[in-house]
Amino acid sequence: MTDRPIYSIVAPVYNEEGNIQPLYDRIREVMDTTGEPWELILVNDGSRDQSLALMEALAEQDERVRVINFARNFGHQTAVTAGIDFASGKAVVLIDADLQDPPAMILEMIERWKAGYEVVYAVREQRKGESRFKVLSAKLFYRIIYRITDVDIPLDTGDFRLMDEKVVAVLRQMREHNRFIRGMTSWVGFRQTPVYYIREERHSGVTKYPLSKMVRFALDAITGFSYFPLQVMVYVSVVLGVLALLAIPVVAVLRIAVGPGFLGGQATTIVLLLLLSSFQLFFLFILGQYVARIYDEARNRPLYVIASTRNLDVESVPAQLSAPPARISVPHSAPSARIEKAEVDVQGE
Ligand code: UDP
Ligand code: MG
């Protein structure tokens, strides 16, 4: 292995065959101007196209390119997590593989980092080449999150950011299963500062975030950082209770005044029943979202499973495992990883 890199660039890859080479070219061009050692960690999140072969070919040519190959698709946030776990730089940069985040911005981030900031996050001033729906839903999403969460998660900010090793060390200890990395980084604290950029169009391919994944992501963000959905139940229940209390005398009076037929009949009852059941089921759904996440944590499965790696010290590590902070060093020490593997086998996972 070469010297310890100063910079680790982490990119999650899911079916990005058209972007691997251009990404590498642009990163290399930008990072070589720093004159300092760097590494590019590509995490293959279960791609079904030629991405892995292309990544491995790059790793063959340039040993600064490291490859982590997941055993299946574990999702964007988990892929980023693995990259963070294995990064050895003093500063770690998260970037999308589709070149929507311009690599040249990294230099600006590095400047801020050298000026003493521990987190430099990139704020999207404008988004190009994305559907109206995506842009609007994203805008709304960031604003809702901002209002209802307990940590200040900056608006219009994706995962494109630079983090100091101090922050990375804390993130490695945060092994929650439903991950919202931009929120988690905000939570860590330290000195954080924005840089502004225009989000480019995807270089090649289509978005890997269909609506279903976007909804899941939003739910992870909200449940991970806010109890607001649980608290809102009490307001609804108070409003409905007050309405019911008021309705009793009102209905009684009207029945006497207008006649016994007033508001009578099944229709009213059925409509109210449907409405109230819908409220109740909605809140049960919210409750379920939190409960399911508690279940995820209770099972404490590994966050991801690695099938193979390239240019990493840990060719032999079969699985990266979640759980207690002390174990996070797993990527750099194969023996303890084996012990963990054994434990996992016992659990039948
Ligand atoms: N990605 C991933 N696993 C997934 C979905 C996406 O690793 O299950 C990667 C993808 O290859 C890309 C990044 O995450 O590098 C962001 O995804 P995408 O560009 O599709 O999201 P969008 O920019 O459309 O929100
Ligand atoms: Mg993208």
Side-chain angles (χ1 to χ4, degrees), residues 249-266:
V250 171
V251 169
V253 169
L254 285 173
R255 286 243 168 124
I256 294 164
V258 186
F262 180 77
L263 273 184
Q266 285 178 357

Side-chain angles (χ1 to χ4, degrees), residues 81-110:
T81 302
I84 294 172
D85 287 344
F86 284 83
S88 47
K90 286 182 182 300
V92 176
V93 177
L94 310 181
I95 191 167
D96 282 355
D98 58 5
L99 289 169
Q100 282 198 282
D101 307 328
M105 287 293 300
I106 298 174
L107 296 177
E108 206 175 313
M109 293 178 175
I110 289 175

